């Protein structure tokens, strides 16, 4: 008689079996293609509590369990000032999925929400800084964030439409402010629809956005409200109806840039995020 699997075991098996092509294979492809995990690494897998970072944690558990490359991993949760419901949801999901999280607290929401201008920009910058600092204190040399393929595509389009830049989202960044630290995005090649499918298959629910500006929509499927990112999502969805390969084309395009055809080439500003710059320009 086959033994009954626990929820975390079912979730792990679905990554390797049912969603191997959609999740595991592109995860491994990104790790190898961009050299994201190297011998001796100690990686802080940063968990916000959403579907993307929770799946990333499970992917790293599988990689750590089976990889021939020796590396260490810490599952790091930063509490920027979550309400009780969001904090409890993150902790219960971590327990359900057998993810041994390390939690540390900050006052980011209090500081950002009391800022006179650009609270979203300030929040984003402070989050990144706190994650780097805590990870470095724990002996890590890398932090991993859960941005996926659709984030990469949407960021590229948003940069053109709303910031007048041809700028993408790198799979690996060397921090300019924290010596010896790198940021990696191992879900770079995974589509968001496949993440949602995995979540639904395992009947899991995660927090969507825990910002105090949007607490009325903290636990939902795949929201986004009226943001510019959501506008771009809808636009790409419409374009996909007539060109099913539109996402693939954009993703491949950022890997085949002909710099000699652009008159405005300038040096990249490294770890500075377009999203942070864009939010500042919007005046959020």
């Amino acid at each position: 008689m086959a033994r009954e699997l626990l929820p975390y075991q079912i979730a792990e098996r679905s990554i390797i079996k049912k969603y191997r092509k959609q999740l595991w294979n592109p995860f491994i492809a990104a790790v190898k293609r961009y050299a994201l995990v190297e011998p001796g690494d100690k990686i802080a897998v940063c968990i916000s509590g959403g579907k993307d970072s929770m799946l990333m944690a499970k992917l790293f558990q599988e990689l750590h369990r089976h990889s021939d490359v020796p590396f260490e991993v810490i599952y790091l949760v930063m509490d920027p000032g979550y309400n009780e419901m969001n904090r409890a949801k993150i902790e219960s999901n971590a327990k359900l999925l057998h993810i041994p999280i390390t939690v540390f607290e900050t006052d980011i929401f209090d500081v950002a929400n009391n800022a006179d201008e650009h609270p979203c920009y300030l929040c984003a910058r402070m989050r990144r800084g706190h994650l780097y600092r805590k990870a470095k204190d724990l002996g890590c040399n890398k932090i991993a964030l859960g941005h996926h393929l659709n984030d990469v595509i949407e960021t590229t389009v948003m940069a053109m439409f709303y910031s007048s830049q041809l700028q993408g989202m790198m799979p690996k960044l060397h921090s300019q402010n924290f010596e010896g630290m790198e940021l990696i995005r191992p879900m770079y090649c995974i589509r968001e629809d496949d993440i949602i499918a995995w979540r639904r298959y395992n009947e899991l629910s995660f927090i969507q956005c825990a910002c105090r500006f949007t607490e009325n929509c903290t636990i939902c499927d795949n929201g986004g409200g009226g943001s510019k990112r959501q506008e771009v999502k809808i636009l790409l969805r419409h374009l996909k109806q007539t060109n099913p390969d539109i996402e693939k084309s954009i993703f491949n395009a950022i890997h085949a840039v002909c710099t000699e055809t652009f008159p405005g080439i300038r040096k990249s500003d490294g770890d500075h995020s377009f999203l942070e710059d864009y939010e500042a320009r919007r005046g959020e």
Side-chain angles (χ1 to χ4, degrees):
M1 181 177 179
R3 68 184 178 93
E4 186 176 350
L5 298 178
L6 296 172
Y8 82 95
Q9 295 172 318
I10 296 173
E12 291 172 353
R13 176 169 289 191
S14 66
I15 291 172
I16 300 300
K17 300 288 186 180
K18 183 175 178 62
Y19 294 102
R20 186 179 189 88
K21 181 179 179 181
Q22 297 90 339
L23 300 177
W24 181 250
N25 288 352
F27 170 73
I28 294 301
V31 168
K32 291 182 177 180
R33 180 176 187 177
Y34 306 114
L36 302 184
V37 178
E38 299 169 297
D41 279 345
K42 187 173 183 179
I43 302 170
V45 176
C46 301
I47 300 173
S48 66
K51 66 185 189 314
D52 307 328
S53 61
M54 283 292 190
L55 173 59
M56 179 176 65
K58 296 307 296 180
L59 288 165
F60 262 103
Q61 283 184 322
E62 288 295 321
L63 181 64
H64 189 252
R65 196 175 292 142
H66 302 294
S67 177
D68 293 331
V69 176
F71 72 97
E72 296 180 59
V73 63
I74 292 176
Y75 300 96
L76 190 61
V77 175
M78 179 188 66
D79 184 344
Y82 293 134
N83 61 33
E84 291 182 5
M85 182 177 67
N86 283 322
R87 174 68 176 260
K89 187 66 175 177
I90 293 171
E91 291 176 342
S92 64
N93 276 330
K95 184 177 180 180
L96 176 71
L97 293 170
H98 279 222
I99 302 171
I101 58 175
T102 296
V103 183
F104 72 103
E105 299 178 353
T106 70
D107 61 353
I108 290 176
F109 282 174
D110 286 336
V111 174
N113 292 347
N114 290 322
D116 293 332
E117 295 182 349
H118 314 319
C120 292
Y121 172 81
L122 179 60
C123 181
R125 297 292 287 181
M126 289 178 69
R127 280 172 178 260
R128 186 75 62 85
H130 276 287
L131 287 171
Y132 271 127
R133 189 172 295 108
K134 184 63 176 181
K136 190 167 186 178
D137 288 345
L138 292 172
C140 298
N141 65 308
K142 292 179 179 178
I143 64 171
L145 301 184
H147 297 118
H148 48 67
L149 182 143
N150 294 86
D151 288 325
V152 176
I153 293 169
E154 292 157 11
T155 297
T156 302
V157 175
M158 287 170 65
M160 288 191 293
F161 286 8
Y162 303 115
S163 193
S164 303
Q165 298 180 50
L166 288 174
Q167 183 173 331
M169 178 182 280
M170 293 293 288
K172 178 192 285 189
L173 284 173
H174 295 275
S175 174
Q176 294 182 340
N177 299 319
F178 294 86
E179 186 178 356
M181 295 293 294
E182 288 183 328
L183 180 155
I184 60 173
R185 296 183 169 105
M187 297 177 71
Y188 203 79
C189 300
I190 297 177
R191 297 177 184 275
E192 184 177 29
D193 284 346
D194 294 324
I195 299 172
I196 294 172
W198 173 82
R199 182 195 61 74
R200 288 177 176 166
Y201 176 80
N202 289 285
E203 298 180 348
L204 298 168
S205 65
F206 303 110
I207 67 171
Q208 168 70 19
C209 178
C211 174
R212 289 181 185 170
F213 292 123
T214 56
E215 281 184 341
N216 290 331
C217 184
T218 53
I219 300 178
C220 47
D221 183 12
N222 184 34
S227 68
K228 294 301 180 185
R229 181 172 291 278
Q230 187 69 4
E231 288 182 18
V232 170
K233 281 181 181 288
I234 294 171
L235 172 62
L236 292 172
R237 194 176 301 140
H238 287 315
L239 293 173
K240 197 173 179 179
Q241 293 175 2
T242 55
N243 180 6
D245 293 327
I246 187 71
E247 293 175 349
K248 181 179 179 181
S249 294
I250 297 173
F251 187 75
N252 287 342
I254 67 175
H255 290 81
V257 177
C258 300
T259 57
E260 63 270 18
T261 67
F262 291 95
I265 301 298
R266 63 181 178 84
K267 185 178 180 180
S268 170
D269 51 4
D271 210 14
H272 181 67
S273 166
F274 152 71
L275 291 178
E276 295 161 358
D277 181 59
Y278 165 69
E279 286 167 350
R281 294 186 187 200
R282 286 180 68 196
E284 292 187 340

